[in-house]
């Protein structure tokens, strides 16, 4: 709801899901040559160029592993959020090296919980993004795409992607095991009794 900040927005693929937001603002760093990004603001997530208590919602997907100081990013998010505001965060536990050399961390559920609480948030939910079998399926697809240097999915590859994901999702449901997972989706709020913290 309200003003929404998308940190590391890239080409804003999630904007259609938040059409009810009063205003959707995406930030990102200038990209390397050949990479396309379309933020509203070029800025570092470690020093957000916004006033305190500005946003009702902050979206941060697969960014935390790319900043050298993830705790600073979360303090900045806390600073620019209004009391009662909601953070929607995803971060990987298992994934291959990417966007090198700016690829610093992987996170367990306990590491994410710790970082969020230390930044002042109240964690509402922390859910695994699939279990062992979904992880295996995705890693097989990643290996195939990276090994063959496939930049985008053709209709044939989309069918392959769907078939592999459907099969391994079935195995995940049949034999659940979420200690090995692609990563986590966290939802956290800025509590009513919180004060803005300096970044």
């Amino acid at each position: 709801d309200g003003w929404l900040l998308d940190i590391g927005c890239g080409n804003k693929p999630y904007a259609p899901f938040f059409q009810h937001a009063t205003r959707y603002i995406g930030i990102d760093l200038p990209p390397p040559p050949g990479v396309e990004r379309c933020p509203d603001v070029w800025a570092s997530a470690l020093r957000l160029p916004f006033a305190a208590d500005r946003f009702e919602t902050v979206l941060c997907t697969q960014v935390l592993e790319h900043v050298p100081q993830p705790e600073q990013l979360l303090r900045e998010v806390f600073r620019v959020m209004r009391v009662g505001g909601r953070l929607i965060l995803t971060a990987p536990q298992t994934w291959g090296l990417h966007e090198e050399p700016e690829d610093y961390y992987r996170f367990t559920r306990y590491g994410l919980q710790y970082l969020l609480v230390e930044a002042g948030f109240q964690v509402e939910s922390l859910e695994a993004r699939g279990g062992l079998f979904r992880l295996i399926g995705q890693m097989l697809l990643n290996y195939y795409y990276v090994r063959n240097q496939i930049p985008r999915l053709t209709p044939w590859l989309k069918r392959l992607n769907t078939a592999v994901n459907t099969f391994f999702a079935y195995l995940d449901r049949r034999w659940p095991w979420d200690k090995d997972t692609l990563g986590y989706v966290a939802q956290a709020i800025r509590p009513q009794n919180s004060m803005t913290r300096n970044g």
Side-chain angles (χ1 to χ4, degrees), residues 47 131 183:
R47 290 184 184 84

Side-chain angles (χ1 to χ4, degrees), residues 121-164:
F121 290 100
Q122 176 184 323
V123 179
E124 286 199 325
S125 64
L126 190 53
E127 298 179 13
R129 292 175 33 239
L132 174 63
F133 292 103
R134 285 185 196 231
L135 170 61
I136 291 170
Q138 187 62 60
M139 291 298 102
L140 290 172
L141 289 170
N142 289 359
Y143 173 78
Y144 180 78
Y145 297 144
V146 173
R147 176 81 182 234
N148 293 289
Q149 299 180 350
I150 297 172
R152 63 185 180 84
L153 296 183
T154 64
W156 182 85
L157 287 174
K158 285 181 181 178
R159 287 194 293 275
L160 171 67
N161 201 63
T162 299
V164 169

Side-chain angles (χ1 to χ4, degrees), residues 20-59:
H20 56 281
T22 305
R23 186 161 180 200
Y24 188 109
I25 298 174
I27 73 156
D28 214 323
L29 292 172
V35 176
E36 184 182 339
R37 294 176 184 163
C38 59
D40 301 294
V41 178
W42 299 107
S44 168
L46 300 179
R47 290 184 184 84
L48 295 173
F50 304 107
D53 310 318
R54 173 69 272 180
F55 295 94
E56 281 83 5
T57 308
V58 176
L59 178 67

Side-chain angles (χ1 to χ4, degrees), residues 77-104:
V77 170
F78 188 91
R79 180 184 66 80
V80 302
M81 283 181 67
R82 292 186 174 179
V83 171
R86 178 176 303 275
L87 167 63
I88 304 167
L89 172 79
T90 70
Q93 176 173 291
T94 306
W95 198 257
L97 286 171
H98 59 291
E99 297 186 28
E100 298 173 63
E102 286 79 30
D103 188 7
Y104 302 107

